[in-house]
Each structure stands twice: as C-alpha cells, then as structure tokens.
Amino acid sequence: MATLYHVPTSRSLRVLWTLEEIGATVEVKSLGVRPRLQEPEYLAINPAGTLPALIDGDRAIYESLAICEYLAARHGSDLVVAPDEPERPEFVQWLLYGEATLQAPLSAIARVRRIRNKTPEMQTGIDAVLADARHSLSMRAKLLEQRLEGRDFLVAGRMTLADISVGYPLNHMGKPDFASLLGPRATAYRERLLARPAFQRAAAVP
Ligand SMILES: N[C@@H](CCC(=O)N[C@@H](CS)C(=O)NCC(=O)O)C(=O)O
C-alpha cells in the first residue's frame, strides 16, 4: 500500500480529500507541525523537505496535485477529466490555477508574516510586500468569480480535482482579511466545497 506523508492543514489535505471523494485509502504517516526541513528522517524521503510526499513502491511523488491525479486515475475516478472530454484543457488550467495562481500569493503572505516578527527593522519593506501579495490575490480571485457564473463546479459540470486544487487555498481564505477578497459566487462555492462530507473527513485527519 502507498504511504502518504502528511501534516494537518498542509497540501496533503488535497490528497486526503481526493481519497475520501473516491473511497480509497493509503497508509498515512502524520509528521506533526514541526518544520520538516530540519528533520533528516524526512529529508531522506523528500530532499526538498516539502509536504506532501507519496511513496508507492519504487515510485515517489512530491507535488500534491500530481499525487491526487495519480491516485484518482489509478482508481478510474471521474475526478479526472479525461483527455477525450471537451473540457480537458479547462480542467488542466483550473487544476494549475489552484496551486500556481491562487495559492502562490497566499504562500508568500504566510512566509513573509513568519519573518515579520523577527525583523522589526524591515517593517516598512515587509508591509509593502504583504500589500503587494494581497493585491495580487484579490486580482487572481476575480478570475474565479467570473468562472463560477452559472456553474457549481469549475469544469465538466461535476466535482473534479480542479475543485480540490482550488478548494485548498480557499480553505485558507476564511479569515475576514482574506474572505473580503472573494466575491459572492466564490464565497458560496467555498462554503459548498468545505461542507462536503469528504472534505470534512479529510480535514479531521490528525
Ligand atoms: N507545489 C507543492 C508545494 C509543497 C509545499 O510547499 N508544501 C508546504 C506545506 S503545505 C511545505 O512543505 N513547506 C515547507 C515546510 O513547511 O517545511 C505541492 O503542491 O505539493
């Protein structure tokens, strides 16, 4: 059985959510909340020190969405939009949007906030970087708002990995400073995704 390296609220949540949606399981190794970059044991699994990682026999996969795709495709799940379906290009676009476009400024904000308290002398510069990332996030969220007009899901008229991809950053946008950047459709979409029993079960994994 494949092994998933997991930390609650990290991107391994996407993988657990995928597994819950398709009713499949893997062995889950939870690493707690300590920084992985300093743990030689985990660096032997993934030299980059990032989460998640999936080990399946001789195969190691380190990108959360690649892991989701691998597991969903292996189970023949329709969470994957197949190459011969009309909305396959949109599927790939929204799959990548969730990580590369929407999550990127959120990760930048989290990273800069972590160093802010340690470097008070850099306060002005740091505030400028945060404001820039927040502006970027608000612009990027507009694309999502537009896409959701007349749609419950992002592509193919059904729940797919694209929704799981985008659902991950949306989950982190619940606090008022981020929630105010989402339009009404994205807000309702976020609530629908997070209310799914599969998401709830995945988020409860310690
Ligand atoms: N694009 C990668 C990003 C992986 C990533 O940056 N994961 C974060 C946790 S969500 C991480 O491990 N950061 C380094 C650390 O916390 O030590 C993916 O989707 O898996």
Side-chain angles (χ1 to χ4, degrees):
M1 184 184 268
T3 302
L4 173 71
Y5 289 83
H6 162 70
V7 165
T9 78
S10 84
R11 289 167 177 85
S12 50
L13 179 55
R14 281 192 180 122
V15 181
L16 293 173
W17 187 1
T18 298
L19 289 164
E20 289 289 349
E21 292 283 352
I22 63 185
T25 51
V26 297
E27 182 195 6
V28 177
K29 282 202 177 159
S30 188
L31 303 183
V33 293
R34 292 157 300 153
R36 273 76 64 198
L37 288 169
Q38 286 150 33
E39 289 173 20
E41 225 174 275
Y42 184 65
L43 292 178
I45 306 288
N46 178 4
T50 58
L51 266 291
L54 185 87
I55 307 299
D56 190 11
D58 291 342
R59 176 167 282 143
I61 311 181
Y62 305 115
E63 282 291 328
S64 60
L65 294 167
I67 298 171
C68 293
E69 201 278 340
Y70 172 70
L71 293 170
R74 207 177 56 175
H75 286 85
S77 166
D78 70 358
L79 286 175
V80 177
V81 176
D84 61 353
E85 290 188 67
E87 288 206 322
R88 167 74 180 192
E90 287 79 8
F91 169 66
V92 176
Q93 124 78 25
W94 287 102
L95 191 67
L96 299 180
Y97 167 93
E99 178 65 12
T101 297
L102 200 57
Q103 181 59 41
L106 275 177
S107 293
I109 289 170
R111 196 171 286 277
V112 172
R113 280 181 177 169
R114 271 202 298 276
I115 60 168
R116 176 168 56 182
N117 298 339
K118 295 184 201 157
T119 54
E121 71 285 0
M122 289 167 64
Q123 194 64 47
T124 310
I126 284 178
D127 285 349
V129 173
L130 286 174
D132 182 70
R134 192 184 150 79
H135 175 67
S136 168
L137 193 55
S138 74
M139 296 303 292
R140 290 161 184 226
K142 287 183 200 298
L143 194 62
L144 178 64
E145 186 66 13
Q146 184 192 61
R147 179 68 183 178
L148 288 169
E149 184 172 6
R151 288 186 175 87
D152 284 342
F153 300 105
L154 287 171
V155 292
R158 65 176 192 266
M159 178 78 186
T160 71
L161 292 181
D163 301 295
I164 289 178
S165 173
V166 173
Y168 176 75
L170 288 182
N171 179 39
H172 289 288
M173 291 181 73
K175 292 196 180 131
D177 56 338
F178 290 137
S180 62
L181 303 181
L182 297 177
R185 290 184 213 119
T187 301
Y189 169 69
R190 176 183 182 277
E191 280 166 15
R192 284 198 302 280
L193 288 180
L194 271 48
R196 291 178 75 84
F199 175 84
Q200 299 280 328
R201 288 194 297 271
V205 174

